[in-house]
Amino acid sequence: MGLLSLAIWVPIFFGVALLVLGRHFSAQQVRWLALLGSLLGLAVTLPLYTGFEIGAAGFQFVEKVLWIERFNVHYHLGVDGISLWLILLTAFTTVIAVVASWESITERVHQYMAAFLILSGAMIGVFSAQDALLFFLFFEATLIPMYLIIGIWGGPNRIYAAYKFFLYTLLGSLLMLLALIYLYNASGGSFDLQDWYQLPLTSTEQTLLFLAFLAAFAVKVPMWPVHTWLPDVHVEAPTAGSAVLAAIMLKLGAYGFLRFSLPITPDASQDLAWLMIALSLIAVIYVGLVALVQQDMKKLVAYSSVAHMGFVTLGFFLFNELALAGAIVQMIAHGFVSAAMFLCIGVLYDRMHSREIADYGGVINPMPKFAAFALLFTMANAGMPGTAGFVGEWMVILGAVQANFWIGLGAATALILGAAYSLLMFKRVYLGAVANDNVKALFDINAREYGVLAVLALAVLFMGIYPKPFTDVMMPAVTELLLHISVTKLP
């Protein structure tokens, strides 16, 4: 079995085992087994990086086996510079999610941990699938465990949020399925993505296919105006569910643009770039303003995720190396920062069972260690230089200015808005005198919480100070994609 297969099936195996046998173990034993499964899942992804040939644009660690002969479907996996860090981020975030849920989840622990492990394997499957039908199956399979995580372990309105999440994303995917069937027939009966990249599609075909893919991927990112499910889901989801949703699941839609929309419909991507840029700038500016007036911490960070992901889609459709590489860097950085932001909210919620900003004030007094971590992650969310949140956004802004000064100016306003809503929340929650007796009774983070936040802090700082390992891996694949789209790269 190849490394990519191990990365997919090791966490799924542990997840299924916990689901079937977990009731025979104590909750504490289940937690340790889930941690073992997630750590093994992370361990088998590390050789993907150490053995990756930097400088090569093609797919590596390729596995291809005929799966469904009648329809020419293959179990076809591969990884390039675009997907490598997303796979590593998925495995890393799964470990964080398991440890972060150690004490907060006390009911049906084996089912909860199983859902996260199966979700991890399915998401890695999305990032490594090179057969379109296999991609679609993994893409849809991610819905089921997240639906259960929200619907069973979520807040008071969890059923509504779970249904909204499932229906929004499923409806978009139906149009993508039609596009996949059309391309299967157009290619003479192949689901291989490399075959589809060479198809001579007409302008009308490309436009219709682009819109079908847009319906699926825009909901998943989510882009404005189909973003309304995200705040409701984040508010109701358990803390680790919110962290994984923001860190990884939103990236599935962005990744779809890179694997389907841009290479399969390059002409339509350029013709409709104005639409994508407009929607992205609305997300960056308007949704940033919406975040500014939120009173619920989770809703604020959820809206900020929409704004930050607006940078990603903006970078995709500017068609220069700097912006496209910056968008992919932003996907990774947002994974670290958003997960950390939601985990910080979870630390407070576990103690006070409130997400309302008005219920807090002066948290820095009883929780100085925690407040130091929260300040770092807040600054990263605001895009401060030296943190992961700065690198990708700055690259996209530079790329946008190269393409069009006014687009760059619009994108740059996000740094101002990001600083405004992030620092305002920090000021109201953490600074000043102790607001009430509930805040006064708070106690600082324990060793487990400290460890989780410290690992994320190191990741945020490392990526902010030294992003070269990330960009070196992805640049050949970025250049190859732009050459395929046949766009003249700006100097």
Side-chain angles (χ1 to χ4, degrees), residues 26 74 83 104 129 164 172 185 189 193-194 200 220 232 235 247 282 325 339 353 357 363 382 398 425:
S26 69
H74 289 79
S83 55
S104 58
K164 193 171 185 180
N185 290 322
L193 290 180
Q194 299 302 320
K220 206 84 166 183
D232 291 332
V235 165
I282 291 171
H353 301 290
I357 293 173
V363 170
L398 289 177
M425 180 177 74

Coordinates of all heavy atoms in Angstrom, one line a residue, residues 26 74 83 104 129 164 172 185 189 193-194 200 220 232 235 247 282 325 339 353 357 363 382 398 425:
S26 N -13.6 2.2 27.8 CA -14.0 3.4 28.6 C -13.7 4.7 27.7 O -13.0 4.6 26.7 CB -13.1 3.5 29.9 OG -11.8 3.8 29.6
H74 N -10.8 4.5 -12.0 CA -9.6 4.1 -11.3 C -9.4 4.6 -9.9 O -9.9 5.7 -9.6 CB -8.4 4.6 -12.2 CG -8.2 3.9 -13.5 ND1 -9.0 4.2 -14.6 CD2 -7.4 2.9 -13.9 CE1 -8.6 3.4 -15.6 NE2 -7.7 2.6 -15.2
S83 N -1.2 20.3 -3.4 CA -1.9 19.5 -2.5 C -1.1 19.0 -1.3 O -1.7 18.6 -0.3 CB -2.6 18.3 -3.2 OG -1.6 17.5 -3.9
S104 N -14.0 18.2 26.9 CA -15.2 18.8 26.6 C -16.3 17.9 26.1 O -17.5 18.1 26.3 CB -15.1 20.0 25.6 OG -14.5 19.4 24.4
A129 N -7.0 12.7 -4.8 CA -7.7 12.0 -5.9 C -7.3 12.6 -7.3 O -7.4 13.8 -7.4 CB -9.2 12.0 -5.7
K164 N -28.9 22.8 7.4 CA -28.5 23.9 6.5 C -27.1 23.6 5.9 O -27.0 23.8 4.7 CB -28.4 25.2 7.3 CG -28.4 26.5 6.5 CD -28.5 27.7 7.4 CE -28.6 29.0 6.5 NZ -28.7 30.2 7.3
G172 N -25.2 22.2 -4.2 CA -24.2 22.7 -5.1 C -23.5 21.5 -5.8 O -23.1 21.6 -7.0
N185 N -18.5 11.7 -20.7 CA -18.9 11.4 -22.1 C -18.1 12.1 -23.2 O -17.7 11.6 -24.2 CB -20.4 11.8 -22.3 CG -21.3 10.9 -21.5 OD1 -21.1 9.7 -21.4 ND2 -22.4 11.4 -20.9
G189 N -15.3 8.4 -22.2 CA -15.4 7.4 -21.2 C -14.2 7.4 -20.3 O -13.8 6.3 -19.9
L193 N -8.4 13.0 -14.6 CA -8.4 14.5 -14.7 C -7.4 14.9 -15.7 O -7.6 15.9 -16.4 CB -8.0 15.1 -13.3 CG -9.0 15.0 -12.2 CD1 -8.5 15.6 -10.9 CD2 -10.3 15.7 -12.6
Q194 N -6.3 14.2 -15.9 CA -5.3 14.6 -16.9 C -5.8 14.5 -18.3 O -5.5 15.3 -19.2 CB -4.0 13.7 -16.8 CG -3.3 13.8 -15.4 CD -2.9 15.2 -15.1 OE1 -2.4 15.9 -15.9 NE2 -3.0 15.6 -13.8
P200 N -10.7 19.6 -26.0 CA -11.0 20.9 -26.7 C -12.4 21.3 -26.6 O -13.2 21.1 -27.4 CB -10.6 20.4 -28.2 CG -11.0 19.0 -28.2 CD -10.7 18.4 -26.8
K220 N -18.8 25.8 -0.8 CA -17.9 25.2 0.1 C -16.9 26.1 0.6 O -16.4 26.0 1.8 CB -17.2 24.0 -0.6 CG -16.7 22.9 0.3 CD -17.8 21.9 0.5 CE -17.3 20.6 1.1 NZ -18.4 19.6 1.3
D232 N -24.0 30.2 11.0 CA -24.9 29.4 11.8 C -24.3 28.1 12.2 O -24.4 27.6 13.3 CB -26.2 29.1 11.0 CG -27.0 30.3 10.8 OD1 -27.0 31.2 11.7 OD2 -27.8 30.4 9.8
V235 N -21.5 28.6 14.9 CA -22.1 28.9 16.3 C -22.5 27.6 17.0 O -22.4 27.5 18.2 CB -23.3 29.9 16.1 CG1 -24.1 30.0 17.4 CG2 -22.7 31.3 15.8
A247 N -10.5 25.2 9.2 CA -9.1 25.0 8.8 C -9.0 24.1 7.6 O -8.1 24.4 6.7 CB -8.3 24.3 10.0
I282 N -16.1 41.7 -2.6 CA -17.3 41.9 -1.7 C -17.1 41.1 -0.4 O -17.4 41.6 0.7 CB -18.6 41.4 -2.5 CG1 -18.9 42.4 -3.6 CG2 -19.8 41.4 -1.5 CD1 -20.1 42.0 -4.5
A325 N 0.2 31.8 -6.0 CA 1.0 31.2 -4.9 C 0.6 31.8 -3.5 O 0.4 31.1 -2.5 CB 2.5 31.5 -5.1
A339 N -8.1 27.8 13.1 CA -8.2 26.7 14.1 C -7.9 27.3 15.5 O -8.6 27.0 16.5 CB -7.3 25.6 13.7
H353 N -19.4 29.1 29.4 CA -20.6 28.6 28.6 C -21.3 29.8 28.0 O -22.5 29.9 27.9 CB -21.6 27.8 29.4 CG -20.9 26.6 30.0 ND1 -20.6 25.5 29.2 CD2 -20.5 26.3 31.3 CE1 -20.0 24.6 30.0 NE2 -19.9 25.0 31.2
I357 N -19.6 38.5 23.5 CA -18.5 39.4 23.9 C -18.9 40.2 25.1 O -18.0 40.4 26.0 CB -18.2 40.3 22.7 CG1 -17.6 39.5 21.5 CG2 -17.2 41.4 23.1 CD1 -17.4 40.2 20.2
V363 N -10.3 39.5 30.8 CA -9.9 38.1 31.0 C -8.4 38.0 31.2 O -7.9 37.0 31.8 CB -10.4 37.3 29.7 CG1 -9.7 35.9 29.7 CG2 -11.9 37.2 29.6
A382 N -5.4 39.4 12.1 CA -5.4 40.8 11.6 C -4.3 40.9 10.5 O -4.3 42.0 9.8 CB -5.1 41.8 12.7
L398 N 0.1 42.1 -3.5 CA 1.1 42.5 -4.5 C 0.7 42.0 -5.9 O 0.9 42.7 -6.9 CB 2.4 41.9 -4.0 CG 3.1 42.5 -2.8 CD1 4.4 41.8 -2.5 CD2 3.4 44.0 -3.0
M425 N -12.4 42.9 19.2 CA -12.9 41.8 20.0 C -11.9 41.5 21.1 O -12.3 41.3 22.3 CB -13.0 40.5 19.1 CG -13.4 39.3 19.9 SD -13.7 37.8 18.9 CE -12.0 37.4 18.6

